[in-house]
């Protein structure tokens, strides 16, 4: 998949003041294996999302399986800036566990694309691909007529 | 462009309680011609966004040029649910006037795609198009070798 420009210069703005607790306490399911930190309060290390939101990462934090303490903070900053933590939390809670990873991947992709290109976001990729499909079809037609 | 499923069944949930005034008063620029309602307090008819947010639509409301009182409410509901009014307002304010319409179009497109497909959003369209490009290239190669 075409990767959006992941320039994170504009992603370092920390949220101001205290924030409402989002997502965390409502989830009591275990983290998906092999993804994120799955931390929460047990390990004492907050996940990338809670680190960014400057809050305690509780057991079953909905973001913990997907945003690691190391690389997850910058990624979550993009997601938070474009979609908002609360909206993403609500969206993930509606999904079964096994689909959440893919949802986080596509949300992160869209968020990064929107920060790279605030006017078009990832829609510019769709437009470019549509033009490529049209061009390929046209070329196929020409070649088949020779 | 492939259109996302615009099923608006889930878009009718109105925001609860009173909300912080977002975007409106900071903008004093005239609405772009031919788009949305460009209303605000002058005409007395709130734009689709302010109607949805149940607030007074002031002169220079940032959403008014893009969300008409008639069709704009359902569209704004999708945008609000996925991105949040505040995030979209901030994003639009960073853009010059002539680019805002296109930004609203792509944001609305992404929002509708995410509501139709909460797991993949419009990324599913990107994946499908990438496969189509690959398939077209393969067919071209076969035809040219015959």
């Amino acid at each position: 998949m075409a990767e959006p420009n992941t320039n994170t210069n504009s992603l370092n703005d920390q949220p101001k003041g205290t924030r409402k607790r989002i997502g965390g306490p409502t989830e009591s399911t275990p983290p998906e294996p092999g993804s994120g930190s799955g931390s929460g309060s047990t390990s004492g290390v907050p996940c990338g999302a809670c680190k960014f939101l400057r809050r305690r990462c509780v057991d079953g934090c909905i973001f913990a399986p997907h945003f690691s303490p190391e690389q997850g903070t910058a990624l979550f900053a993009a997601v938070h800036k474009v979609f908002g933590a609360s909206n993403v939390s609500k969206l993930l809670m509606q999904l079964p566990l096994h689909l959440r990873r893919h949802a986080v991947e596509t949300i992160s992709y869209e968020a990064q694309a929107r920060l790279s290109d605030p006017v078009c976001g990832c829609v510019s990729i769709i437009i470019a691909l549509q033009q490529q499909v049209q061009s390929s079809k046209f070329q196929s037609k020409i070649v088949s007529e020779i």
Side-chain angles (χ1 to χ4, degrees), chain A:
Chain A
M1 186 189 295
E3 286 298 324
N5 182 348
T6 55
N7 181 346
T8 55
N9 286 346
S10 62
L11 307 180
N12 298 324
D13 42 347
Q14 292 291 321
K16 291 160 198 153
T18 53
R19 288 180 172 272
K20 203 176 71 177
R21 190 74 180 86
I22 299 159
T26 58
E27 285 291 302
S28 59
T29 45
E32 291 161 77
S35 59
S37 69
S39 62
S41 60
T42 321
S43 69
V45 182
C47 73
C50 291
K51 208 169 161 186
F52 177 80
L53 295 170
R54 292 176 181 175
R55 68 181 193 185
R56 200 168 68 90
C57 191
V58 298
D59 258 350
C61 165
I62 198 164
F63 297 123
H66 313 292
F67 297 96
S68 71
E70 300 82 27
Q71 290 87 35
T73 309
L75 194 62
F76 186 80
V79 168
H80 176 69
K81 190 166 188 178
V82 174
F83 291 95
S86 172
N87 287 342
V88 175
S89 169
K90 281 181 205 157
L91 190 140
L92 292 179
M93 278 193 278
Q94 289 166 8
L95 298 176
L97 275 179
H98 69 285
L99 293 176
R100 289 182 189 177
R101 168 110 54 106
H102 193 56
V104 167
E105 281 169 5
T106 61
I107 286 167
S108 302
Y109 181 83
E110 278 187 57
Q112 288 178 314
R114 180 62 60 182
L115 290 179
S116 299
D117 182 350
V119 178
C120 295
C122 69
V123 176
S124 63
I125 298 165
I126 293 176
I127 294 167
L129 284 166
Q130 283 174 333
Q131 287 169 347
Q132 223 176 315
V133 168
Q134 283 305 311
S135 167
S136 295
K137 278 183 184 167
F138 183 70
Q139 283 174 0
S140 276
K141 200 182 165 196
I142 301 255
V143 170
S144 67
E145 283 171 359
I146 294 172

